[in-house]
Amino acid sequence: MMKSTVSPIHVVGGGLAGSEAAWQAAQAGVPVVLHEMRGVRGTDAHKTDGLAELVCSNSFRSDDATANAVGVIHAEMRLAGSLIMTCADKHQVPAGGALAVDRDGFSEAVSDAIEAHPLITVVREEITGLPPKDWDLTIVATGPLTSPDLAEAIRAETGADALAFFDAIAPIIHRESLDMDICWYQSRYDKVGPGGTGKDYINCPMDEAQYNAFIDALIAGDTVGFKEWEGTPYFDGCLPIEVMAERGRETLRHGPMKPMGLTNAHNPTVKPYAVVQLRQDNALGTLYNMVGFQTKLRYGAQSDVFRMIPGLENAEFARLGGLHRNTYINSPVLLDPSLTLKSRPGLRFAGQITGCEGYVESASIGLLAGRFAAAERKGQMPSLPPETTAMGSLLNHITGGHIVNDEEPGKRSFQPMNINFGLFPDLAPGSIVKPEGVKRFRGKDKTIMKRQLVAARALADCKAWLARE
């Protein structure tokens, strides 16, 4: 094959966003050089050198594209030829209504596809400063674990500090160490999801006394201290389990440990007071992660406290939980609508460093950045997705959202955000019509219809946008 004479786009960072950005640009016919630090220098959270390694949960969350915003962004990314979604679909593991993946198989699939692409060159090196200007078009997708040197270079260029928050990861347990005379298989409300059966989670029941003893132990547990990061806020979507417990004794019972939609197969007449769920973490079904159990407890405390959970008395941990620091930039101030740094044309940012939160959200912004950069390389104007789409609404939040704080002038209110229906524009007046023959139509039923209409509009508008590109 003849070598392309087109100047390459440089992508810094081989996580989900960087891998997706590189793929999209290459699929558009533009050569890409993907620079990945791991292999030369590791991070506190990554365990391998693989591209798109998942360091937290193995779940991409809901795959329902009819009434869930996360499912809608899944569907839009599939329509756009997403590498991340293709590999996720190929390596899914049962998870009720969610799309969860075998983390190792998923990362290997992304790595293989990237390395085999004739227009992508992977270079293992650490970029310690802003990319040189002679690189021309560059996408920085270094994620929440951006190296200190590069983060400092970004601060120097923008004149604004990167904000930070703590992010925690949950433990993973060997399936064979669970006591299945106590635990049972069941998805909440027996829901069957992609590749699932309705029995995709392992459930550990607690009575009231067990729950209260567990909460006491959690709150008293020895936690890791990070004095240099004191005052850094947590992201509410990934709170450590002990932080949730400190917010109120019943918080966990109405959060990740809620017993609703579950019936103890060993004692069906007695409703559990609380339930801990474990979700399959690999294709073999030998590893399960503790759903919602992100933690900053020290390793010794984790083993002691989590073995108080019925069924986990002899649990063997393949990985204990941990805590790391995430950073993101003040994107609404610093970036234009095509994710380009206003102070430096040609330099784009993508992924979690822009202030989106979540695997698919990060990958979707990488998808857009790759398409925008490829269009620019071809001398075209980047085509922005409609704000009515999931990707467009998330992009609008990142580049045009929350920059004013009236209560504290000068302090920005921009915070990391998962995709949700609150980011989508309202429906046109009169769109929600009471179904014929229904006497009472309000509350939950009306909300479900609204979400269905917003989701349908998003997918229709996404298809139209992609057809115009």
Side-chain angles (χ1 to χ4, degrees):
M1 179 178 292
M2 292 183 61
K3 190 173 182 179
S4 174
T5 58
V6 178
S7 297
I9 292 170
H10 293 263
V11 178
V12 183
L16 277 79
S19 296
E20 187 66 65
W23 182 260
Q24 292 291 325
Q27 288 294 90
V30 178
V32 176
V33 178
L34 177 59
H35 306 262
E36 169 52 46
M37 175 180 74
R38 285 175 298 118
V40 175
R41 175 176 175 173
T43 75
D44 292 335
H46 291 89
K47 304 299 182 185
T48 75
D49 296 337
L51 301 178
E53 179 187 344
L54 306 182
V55 300
C56 191
S57 168
N58 70 321
S59 175
F60 282 28
R61 311 188 331 272
S62 175
D63 203 45
D64 177 9
T66 65
N68 188 289
V70 180
V72 174
I73 208 167
H74 285 183
E76 290 182 4
M77 292 172 68
R78 290 184 178 112
L79 289 172
S82 165
L83 173 65
I84 294 302
M85 290 306 302
T86 297
C87 295
D89 289 336
K90 287 181 179 178
H91 292 276
Q92 67 178 28
V93 295
L99 172 62
V101 303
D102 178 315
R103 67 180 71 233
D104 292 333
F106 167 77
S107 176
E108 289 170 4
V110 173
S111 299
D112 290 346
I114 290 289
E115 291 168 355
H117 199 292
L119 290 180
I120 300 177
T121 301
V122 179
V123 178
R124 297 283 180 167
E125 63 178 349
E126 180 183 2
I127 305 301
T128 58
L130 281 184
K133 292 187 177 180
D134 61 6
W135 280 9
D136 187 19
L137 293 182
T138 304
I139 299 170
V140 175
T142 47
L145 300 174
T146 297
S147 66
D149 290 341
L150 180 54
E152 182 56 39
I154 293 169
R155 283 193 288 267
E157 170 68 24
T158 61
D161 289 338
L163 298 184
F165 61 99
F166 288 133
D167 195 9
I169 57 178
I172 295 176
I173 298 175
H174 290 281
R175 158 65 182 80
E176 63 182 10
S177 68
L178 304 177
D179 186 347
M180 296 307 296
D181 289 333
I182 295 175
C183 308
W184 77 96
Y185 286 98
Q186 185 187 8
S187 301
R188 203 176 297 280
Y189 300 107
D190 301 306
K191 188 169 183 178
V192 178
T197 64
K199 297 183 178 181
D200 303 330
Y201 292 78
I202 293 177
N203 300 277
C204 308
M206 282 187 178
D207 61 27
E208 185 172 3
Q210 290 168 330
Y211 175 80
N212 284 322
F214 177 71
I215 295 299
D216 290 339
L218 260 186
I219 294 173
D222 187 13
T223 59
V224 176
F226 286 81
K227 293 185 178 180
E228 64 174 300
W229 296 341
E230 284 179 357
T232 302
Y234 294 104
F235 169 58
D236 279 342
C238 204
L239 283 175
I241 194 79
E242 61 276 2
V243 172
M244 284 190 275
E246 290 170 353
R247 292 186 172 185
R249 181 162 288 273
E250 294 292 294
T251 299
L252 292 178
R253 207 169 72 85
H254 294 281
M257 294 177 66
K258 59 181 179 288
M260 282 75 78
L262 298 168
T263 300
N264 188 342
H266 302 297
N267 195 0
T269 62
V270 177
K271 185 73 174 177
Y273 190 75
V275 173
V276 174
Q277 288 198 303
L278 310 179
R279 180 177 57 230
Q280 186 174 330
D281 200 76
N282 66 346
L284 294 174
T286 56
L287 299 175
Y288 277 72
N289 63 63
M290 302 179 69
V291 178
F293 268 62
Q294 303 82 219
T295 182
K296 61 173 183 173
L297 288 173
R298 294 188 184 276
Y299 285 174
Q302 286 185 49
S303 298
D304 293 341
V305 174
F306 295 151
R307 285 180 179 137
M308 293 175 64
I309 298 169
L312 306 190
E313 292 88 349
N314 298 307
E316 295 179 8
F317 295 93
R319 184 192 71 188
L320 289 165
L323 183 72
H324 54 268
R325 180 180 181 173
N326 286 352
T327 59
Y328 62 97
I329 62 175
N330 194 5
S331 294
V333 172
L334 301 175
L335 303 182
D336 75 6
S338 73
L339 299 165
T340 300
L341 192 64
K342 294 175 183 177
S343 65
R344 184 173 158 182
L347 179 58
R348 284 184 168 82
F349 284 81
Q352 283 186 263
I353 195 171
T354 65
C356 62
E357 180 61 34
Y359 292 146
V360 293
E361 290 89 340
S362 177
S364 73
I365 297 303
L367 183 154
L368 294 176
R371 284 174 170 258
F372 295 161
E376 187 173 345
R377 174 61 78 220
K378 294 178 176 181
Q380 304 166 355
M381 288 291 293
S383 174
L384 305 183
E387 292 181 10
T388 50
T389 64
M391 288 192 288
S393 66
L394 185 61
L395 177 67
N396 183 58
H397 166 75
I398 289 169
T399 62
H402 312 289
I403 58 175
V404 177
N405 188 328
D406 293 331
E407 296 180 0
E408 297 180 72
K411 182 177 180 180
R412 57 187 166 184
S413 59
F414 179 63
Q415 293 290 327
M417 183 68 71
N418 291 118
I419 186 65
N420 63 83
F421 281 120
L423 300 182
F424 290 72
D426 285 336
L427 294 165
S431 296
I432 303 176
V433 179
K434 183 174 72 172
E436 187 176 346
V438 175
K439 293 182 178 180
R440 300 182 64 183
F441 183 62
R442 60 189 182 194
K444 183 178 180 181
D445 292 333
K446 193 172 183 179
T447 297
I448 290 174
M449 175 176 279
K450 179 179 179 180
R451 290 178 176 177
Q452 290 173 337
L453 291 171
V454 170
R457 179 187 66 180
L459 293 178
D461 289 353
C462 183
K463 290 176 183 177
W465 167 63
L466 291 169
R468 293 192 300 268
E469 281 203 307

